[in-house]
Amino acid sequence: MAVTDTPAPTTSSEHSAPGDASGDSEAPRERANRRWNEILQETRVAQTGVQILFGFLLSVAFTPGFRDLGIIDRTIYVVTVVLGAAATGSLIAPVSIHRFLAGQRMKNELVETAHRLMMFGMFLLALTIGSTLLLILRVVLPGLIAEFLVAGVMLYFAVCWYALPLWLRRRASREESA
């Protein structure tokens, strides 16, 4: 059966409880379409955030205060802009890949590749946010306070964006096994 780019119809599996036998009735095509639609929604959220942040970063170099930054802060700025550009590329790439592969019956490959790009893009976005925060806080706060605050925020991101989902997945797997 051909895999198309049309939205999947709502199936009973989308409304089933974990472990419910009816949740296994989703056809491979429906699953691929549902996963693609989920990725598109997630991409819209992430793209908006990274594009706003990237636009802000690009404008910083043209402010009068930029000339007063030392070499370390300018280096942090350059790294931050490069991270922002890479995050933007990773988070927008699924759209470009979809355009090239539309109608090629490669939805499963598209979904898996988009998933990996989104995960990497979110990692790059976290680094971009952290380095942006570092740049701003180094200008505003004395000493090592900025570095400690940024470390705390990055730890928070790691917990919310990576550790918590992995923990929830592991917990669900244990409950299904029981």
Side-chain angles (χ1 to χ4, degrees), residues 131-159:
S131 58
T132 301
L133 190 58
L134 180 62
L135 182 63
I136 292 168
L137 293 181
R138 281 179 50 91
V139 172
V140 175
L141 298 171
L144 293 175
I145 297 172
E147 286 82 358
F148 286 122
L149 287 173
V150 170
V153 169
M154 295 309 294
L155 178 61
Y156 181 74
F157 277 16
V159 168

Short mmCIF file of all heavy atoms in Angstrom, two decimals, residues 131-159:
data_model
loop_
_atom_site.label_atom_id
_atom_site.label_comp_id
_atom_site.label_asym_id
_atom_site.label_seq_id
_atom_site.Cartn_x
_atom_site.Cartn_y
_atom_site.Cartn_z
N SER A 131 24.04 29.49 26.00
CA SER A 131 25.12 30.42 25.68
C SER A 131 24.62 31.85 25.54
O SER A 131 25.34 32.80 25.86
CB SER A 131 25.89 29.97 24.44
OG SER A 131 25.04 29.85 23.33
N THR A 132 23.36 32.02 25.10
CA THR A 132 22.76 33.37 25.07
C THR A 132 22.64 33.90 26.49
O THR A 132 22.98 35.05 26.78
CB THR A 132 21.37 33.34 24.41
OG1 THR A 132 21.50 32.85 23.08
CG2 THR A 132 20.73 34.71 24.38
N LEU A 133 22.15 33.05 27.37
CA LEU A 133 22.02 33.42 28.78
C LEU A 133 23.38 33.75 29.38
O LEU A 133 23.52 34.74 30.12
CB LEU A 133 21.34 32.28 29.54
CG LEU A 133 20.90 32.54 30.96
CD1 LEU A 133 19.94 33.72 31.03
CD2 LEU A 133 20.26 31.29 31.54
N LEU A 134 24.39 32.97 29.05
CA LEU A 134 25.73 33.24 29.54
C LEU A 134 26.23 34.60 29.07
O LEU A 134 26.77 35.38 29.86
CB LEU A 134 26.69 32.13 29.09
CG LEU A 134 28.14 32.28 29.52
CD1 LEU A 134 28.26 32.26 31.05
CD2 LEU A 134 29.01 31.19 28.90
N LEU A 135 26.05 34.88 27.80
CA LEU A 135 26.48 36.16 27.26
C LEU A 135 25.80 37.33 27.98
O LEU A 135 26.45 38.29 28.39
CB LEU A 135 26.19 36.21 25.75
CG LEU A 135 26.62 37.48 25.03
CD1 LEU A 135 28.13 37.63 25.08
CD2 LEU A 135 26.15 37.43 23.58
N ILE A 136 24.49 37.23 28.16
CA ILE A 136 23.74 38.31 28.80
C ILE A 136 24.13 38.44 30.27
O ILE A 136 24.39 39.54 30.77
CB ILE A 136 22.23 38.07 28.64
CG1 ILE A 136 21.83 38.24 27.18
CG2 ILE A 136 21.43 39.01 29.54
CD1 ILE A 136 20.43 37.74 26.85
N LEU A 137 24.19 37.32 30.98
CA LEU A 137 24.48 37.39 32.41
C LEU A 137 25.91 37.81 32.70
O LEU A 137 26.17 38.43 33.73
CB LEU A 137 24.15 36.05 33.08
CG LEU A 137 22.67 35.68 33.13
CD1 LEU A 137 22.47 34.34 33.83
CD2 LEU A 137 21.85 36.78 33.80
N ARG A 138 26.85 37.49 31.83
CA ARG A 138 28.24 37.95 32.03
C ARG A 138 28.33 39.47 31.96
O ARG A 138 29.18 40.08 32.60
CB ARG A 138 29.17 37.34 30.99
CG ARG A 138 29.56 35.90 31.32
CD ARG A 138 30.46 35.31 30.26
NE ARG A 138 31.59 36.15 29.90
CZ ARG A 138 32.80 36.09 30.49
NH1 ARG A 138 33.01 35.22 31.45
NH2 ARG A 138 33.77 36.87 30.09
N VAL A 139 27.45 40.09 31.19
CA VAL A 139 27.43 41.55 31.09
C VAL A 139 26.78 42.16 32.33
O VAL A 139 27.18 43.22 32.80
CB VAL A 139 26.68 42.00 29.81
CG1 VAL A 139 26.47 43.49 29.78
CG2 VAL A 139 27.46 41.55 28.57
N VAL A 140 25.79 41.46 32.88
CA VAL A 140 24.98 42.01 33.96
C VAL A 140 25.50 41.68 35.36
O VAL A 140 25.39 42.52 36.27
CB VAL A 140 23.52 41.49 33.82
CG1 VAL A 140 22.65 41.92 34.97
CG2 VAL A 140 22.93 41.93 32.49
N LEU A 141 26.07 40.50 35.55
CA LEU A 141 26.45 40.04 36.90
C LEU A 141 27.96 39.94 37.08
O LEU A 141 28.68 39.57 36.14
CB LEU A 141 25.82 38.66 37.16
CG LEU A 141 24.29 38.63 37.16
CD1 LEU A 141 23.81 37.19 37.23
CD2 LEU A 141 23.74 39.44 38.32
N PRO A 142 28.42 40.18 38.28
CA PRO A 142 29.87 40.11 38.56
C PRO A 142 30.33 38.67 38.82
O PRO A 142 29.55 37.81 39.20
CB PRO A 142 30.01 40.95 39.83
CG PRO A 142 28.70 40.78 40.54
CD PRO A 142 27.68 40.68 39.44
N GLY A 143 31.60 38.44 38.60
CA GLY A 143 32.23 37.18 38.97
C GLY A 143 31.65 35.96 38.29
O GLY A 143 31.24 35.99 37.13
N LEU A 144 31.63 34.85 39.06
CA LEU A 144 31.19 33.57 38.53
C LEU A 144 29.69 33.33 38.68
O LEU A 144 29.21 32.25 38.36
CB LEU A 144 31.95 32.44 39.23
CG LEU A 144 33.45 32.36 38.95
CD1 LEU A 144 34.09 31.27 39.80
CD2 LEU A 144 33.70 32.11 37.48
N ILE A 145 28.96 34.32 39.15
CA ILE A 145 27.52 34.15 39.36
C ILE A 145 26.83 33.76 38.05
O ILE A 145 25.98 32.87 38.03
CB ILE A 145 26.89 35.43 39.96
CG1 ILE A 145 27.49 35.70 41.33
CG2 ILE A 145 25.39 35.29 40.05
CD1 ILE A 145 27.08 37.05 41.91
N ALA A 146 27.21 34.39 36.97
CA ALA A 146 26.59 34.10 35.67
C ALA A 146 26.79 32.63 35.29
O ALA A 146 25.85 31.96 34.87
CB ALA A 146 27.17 35.00 34.59
N GLU A 147 28.00 32.14 35.45
CA GLU A 147 28.30 30.77 35.08
C GLU A 147 27.50 29.78 35.93
O GLU A 147 26.98 28.79 35.42
CB GLU A 147 29.81 30.49 35.21
CG GLU A 147 30.62 31.11 34.10
CD GLU A 147 30.96 32.60 34.31
OE1 GLU A 147 30.52 33.19 35.32
OE2 GLU A 147 31.64 33.16 33.44
N PHE A 148 27.37 30.05 37.23
CA PHE A 148 26.59 29.17 38.10
C PHE A 148 25.11 29.18 37.73
O PHE A 148 24.46 28.14 37.71
CB PHE A 148 26.77 29.54 39.57
CG PHE A 148 28.11 29.14 40.13
CD1 PHE A 148 28.95 30.09 40.67
CD2 PHE A 148 28.53 27.81 40.12
CE1 PHE A 148 30.18 29.72 41.18
CE2 PHE A 148 29.75 27.43 40.62
CZ PHE A 148 30.59 28.40 41.16
N LEU A 149 24.58 30.35 37.43
CA LEU A 149 23.17 30.43 37.03
C LEU A 149 22.92 29.69 35.72
O LEU A 149 21.92 28.97 35.57
CB LEU A 149 22.74 31.89 36.91
CG LEU A 149 22.56 32.64 38.23
CD1 LEU A 149 22.30 34.12 37.97
CD2 LEU A 149 21.44 32.03 39.05
N VAL A 150 23.81 29.87 34.77
CA VAL A 150 23.67 29.18 33.48
C VAL A 150 23.77 27.67 33.68
O VAL A 150 22.99 26.91 33.09
CB VAL A 150 24.70 29.68 32.46
CG1 VAL A 150 24.70 28.81 31.20
CG2 VAL A 150 24.42 31.13 32.10
N ALA A 151 24.70 27.23 34.51
CA ALA A 151 24.82 25.79 34.79
C ALA A 151 23.51 25.26 35.39
O ALA A 151 23.04 24.17 35.02
CB ALA A 151 25.99 25.52 35.73
N GLY A 152 22.90 26.03 36.28
CA GLY A 152 21.63 25.63 36.87
C GLY A 152 20.52 25.54 35.84
O GLY A 152 19.72 24.59 35.83
N VAL A 153 20.46 26.51 34.94
CA VAL A 153 19.43 26.49 33.89
C VAL A 153 19.67 25.31 32.94
O VAL A 153 18.72 24.62 32.55
CB VAL A 153 19.42 27.83 33.11
CG1 VAL A 153 18.57 27.73 31.85
CG2 VAL A 153 18.92 28.95 34.01
N MET A 154 20.90 25.06 32.59
CA MET A 154 21.20 23.94 31.68
C MET A 154 20.86 22.60 32.35
O MET A 154 20.37 21.69 31.69
CB MET A 154 22.66 23.98 31.24
CG MET A 154 23.01 25.21 30.40
SD MET A 154 21.91 25.50 29.00
CE MET A 154 22.27 24.09 27.99
N LEU A 155 21.12 22.50 33.64
CA LEU A 155 20.74 21.29 34.37
C LEU A 155 19.22 21.12 34.34
O LEU A 155 18.70 20.03 34.13
CB LEU A 155 21.25 21.35 35.81
CG LEU A 155 20.89 20.16 36.69
CD1 LEU A 155 21.47 18.86 36.11
CD2 LEU A 155 21.41 20.39 38.11
N TYR A 156 18.51 22.23 34.54
CA TYR A 156 17.05 22.20 34.49
C TYR A 156 16.55 21.74 33.12
O TYR A 156 15.65 20.91 33.02
CB TYR A 156 16.49 23.58 34.83
CG TYR A 156 14.99 23.66 34.83
CD1 TYR A 156 14.25 23.09 35.86
CD2 TYR A 156 14.31 24.28 33.79
CE1 TYR A 156 12.86 23.15 35.85
CE2 TYR A 156 12.93 24.34 33.78
CZ TYR A 156 12.21 23.78 34.81
OH TYR A 156 10.84 23.84 34.80
N PHE A 157 17.15 22.26 32.06
CA PHE A 157 16.80 21.83 30.70
C PHE A 157 17.05 20.33 30.55
O PHE A 157 16.23 19.61 29.98
CB PHE A 157 17.60 22.58 29.65
CG PHE A 157 17.05 23.93 29.28
CD1 PHE A 157 16.12 24.59 30.06
CD2 PHE A 157 17.48 24.56 28.13
CE1 PHE A 157 15.63 25.83 29.71
CE2 PHE A 157 16.99 25.80 27.76
CZ PHE A 157 16.06 26.43 28.56
N ALA A 158 18.21 19.87 31.00
CA ALA A 158 18.55 18.45 30.88
C ALA A 158 17.52 17.58 31.59
O ALA A 158 17.11 16.54 31.05
CB ALA A 158 19.95 18.19 31.43
N VAL A 159 17.09 18.01 32.75
CA VAL A 159 16.09 17.24 33.49
C VAL A 159 14.75 17.27 32.76
O VAL A 159 14.14 16.23 32.52
CB VAL A 159 15.96 17.77 34.94
CG1 VAL A 159 14.73 17.20 35.63
CG2 VAL A 159 17.22 17.47 35.73
#
